[in-house]
Amino acid sequence: MSVAAALLVSVSSAAFAAEVPASFDAKNCKADYPKASLMNEEQGTVSMSFLVNADGSVADSKLDKSSGFKNLDKAAIKALTACKFKPGTKDGAAAQTWTKVDYAWKLD
């Protein structure tokens, strides 16, 4: 806990005038490919928006642009809603912010 608190203090001591959106580490937050989508070889990019709280949890989510496949859209929103985000900031302090995320589903 002290590391996070120290991190917040160092961030909030800098003078940011603008809002910085939340972000997340894509390597630590992956969605499982839906089985039906794998069998049907569905691919596409889902564009979503997330309202991220100051503690990094997701308060709300919405689909901005579909991948073209409901299963892929639902799986991406469900997985990323459960992720821990790095909170956005307003005037240098952690704050609730909206952030946009594109999630690409690709078959190897």
Side-chain angles (χ1 to χ4, degrees):
M1 285 300 241
S2 62
V3 174
L7 205 67
L8 286 176
V9 170
S10 65
V11 169
S12 59
S13 65
F16 294 116
E19 182 177 307
V20 177
S23 59
F24 77 105
D25 185 354
K27 289 189 292 290
N28 294 331
C29 191
K30 289 201 184 328
D32 292 326
Y33 228 105
K35 284 186 175 59
S37 298
L38 276 174
M39 290 191 304
N40 295 324
E41 297 182 4
E42 296 171 353
Q43 300 184 84
T45 300
V46 186
S47 296
M48 305 157 285
S49 292
F50 294 95
L51 181 60
V52 180
N53 291 318
D55 68 358
S57 64
V58 175
D60 195 11
S61 62
K62 61 184 180 189
L63 179 68
D64 293 334
K65 185 171 175 284
S66 173
S67 63
F69 301 100
K70 271 196 169 77
N71 283 342
L72 295 182
D73 297 347
K74 281 199 285 194
I77 285 181
K78 182 179 177 197
L80 296 188
T81 297
C83 287
K84 185 81 167 164
F85 281 71
K86 177 178 181 246
T89 58
K90 284 183 186 161
D91 298 323
Q96 189 179 62
T97 59
W98 279 98
T99 189
K100 292 187 177 299
V101 177
D102 290 337
Y103 196 91
W105 294 97
K106 289 193 177 79
L107 294 168
D108 293 330

